[in-house]
Amino acid sequence: MNHGHDQAEILDLDAEVVAEHTASITEWLPMADPRQIVDLGCGTGAGTFALLARFPEAHVTAVDASVDHLQRLRDKACEHGLTGRVSTVQADLDAEWPDLGTPDLVWASASMHHMADPDRVLRQVHGTLAPGGLLAVVELAGMPKFLPDDAPESRFEQHHHDERVPHRGADWGPKLTAAGFTVEGERTVSVHIEQSAAVERYARVVLQRLLDPDALERVLRRDDLALRSERTVWAARKEIA
Ligand SMILES: C[S@@+](CC[C@H](N)C(=O)[O-])C[C@H]1O[C@@H](n2cnc3c(N)ncnc32)[C@H](O)[C@@H]1O
């Protein structure tokens, strides 16, 4: 399995398992009726499809550097009869700022911490949004963990996260203010999803990179396997000048 495919599968599983939490975040957004939405670093479309469901009049422009993720997103849009409401833009946001029109809502979920210079990207989002528009930044306050802390194998999960996500837990509030936004709200959602077929598939895909096959099968048999994570969302307004 190549890494890109692996990531796409993880993103799809994550979208499925945390769908209710994502829906509750979209409902919380202080935004009544956006028409043009941009999903920055959209991946395979977790946010795109949640936003299309939440805002039935909206069109989403889904932006990502990965051609494969965008293809997967378009396939899903086609499956669900949503092609007329989604367009995709392939762009490396570190390198170029694409023409994204004048959206009234920009959604950036688990993508901002990947940017080489997030402060610059936030300023670019501010310049792109319509006056009065909203930027929603969603970030993992802690990486997903499947094992309880007292499981012997849980140290592998912890090590992996510390290595891979150096900006985990960054406080985006001051960064948003520095980029010109007014932060209107911040909310942290705790995710604890009990063992299910989808949680087990998700755990298998993630943990098979960290554990030897015997240890993997051992932990997947645990009845306290669960997805534990935390997401924080910041709602940041571009004031009407
Ligand atoms: C962890 S995924 C999150 C995907 C999606 N927003 C979600 O919530 O499931 C991060 C995404 O950001 C994209 N990404 C990372 N750096 C990027 C860049 N410089 N320009 C555009 N997209 C980028 C990756 O390709 C990936 O799809």
Side-chain angles (χ1 to χ4, degrees), residues 1-240:
M1 202 184 271
N2 72 43
H3 182 70
H5 182 79
D6 213 10
Q7 192 198 25
E9 191 175 1
I10 290 175
L11 293 177
D12 281 353
L13 283 165
D14 191 77
E16 180 184 340
V17 170
V18 303
E20 269 180 38
H21 294 82
T22 309
S24 94
I25 290 174
T26 64
E27 269 154 34
W28 170 84
L29 292 176
M31 180 97 247
D33 189 18
R35 296 302 165 111
Q36 296 296 330
I37 301 176
V38 167
D39 184 0
L40 270 194
C42 57
T44 58
T48 297
F49 295 107
L51 291 161
L52 287 171
R54 165 76 179 88
F55 301 114
E57 304 297 324
H59 177 279
V60 176
T61 302
V63 186
D64 206 281
S66 162
V67 176
D68 291 346
H69 290 353
L70 292 174
Q71 184 59 50
R72 198 144 166 159
L73 188 152
R74 281 194 298 272
D75 290 346
K76 285 191 220 169
C78 192
E79 258 169 53
H80 295 106
L82 290 167
T83 44
R85 297 182 56 208
V86 187
S87 46
T88 57
V89 172
Q90 197 257 323
D92 176 355
L93 296 168
D94 288 331
E96 50 175 323
W97 191 253
D99 179 4
L100 300 173
T102 314
D104 26 27
L105 173 62
V106 173
W107 169 272
S109 174
S111 54
M112 222 31 110
H113 70 264
H114 285 283
M115 303 296 154
D117 185 353
D119 298 318
R120 183 173 56 86
V121 173
L122 293 177
R123 287 193 300 273
Q124 275 160 324
V125 173
H126 190 269
T128 301
L129 270 170
L134 194 78
L135 166 61
V137 173
V138 185
E139 284 288 336
L140 295 174
M143 279 296 278
K145 280 185 96 259
F146 294 95
L147 299 170
D149 290 341
D150 61 0
E153 298 83 0
S154 93
R155 68 179 192 280
F156 294 106
E157 279 189 311
Q158 195 50 53
H159 176 68
H160 168 73
H161 296 156
D162 291 348
E163 245 183 13
R164 286 177 51 100
V165 192
H167 307 301
R168 173 173 71 128
D171 186 356
W172 292 87
K175 288 181 180 297
L176 287 159
T177 305
F181 289 97
T182 302
V183 178
E184 286 192 357
E186 178 185 333
R187 184 184 164 210
T188 296
V189 178
S190 286
V191 177
H192 185 113
I193 298 166
E194 297 294 340
Q195 172 74 292
S196 70
V199 166
E200 189 181 323
R201 270 186 287 137
Y202 191 176
R204 181 179 289 280
V205 176
V206 172
L207 296 176
Q208 71 188 1
R209 299 162 165 191
L210 311 177
L211 302 175
D212 66 56
D214 287 347
L216 178 65
E217 295 310 323
R218 192 169 57 240
V219 300
L220 292 177
R221 282 197 300 272
R222 290 184 71 109
D223 57 10
D224 54 3
L225 198 69
L227 174 64
R228 304 163 175 88
S229 158
E230 262 190 4
R231 291 168 198 218
T232 302
V233 52
W234 289 262
R237 184 82 59 193
K238 171 173 173 172
E239 299 291 351
I240 299 171

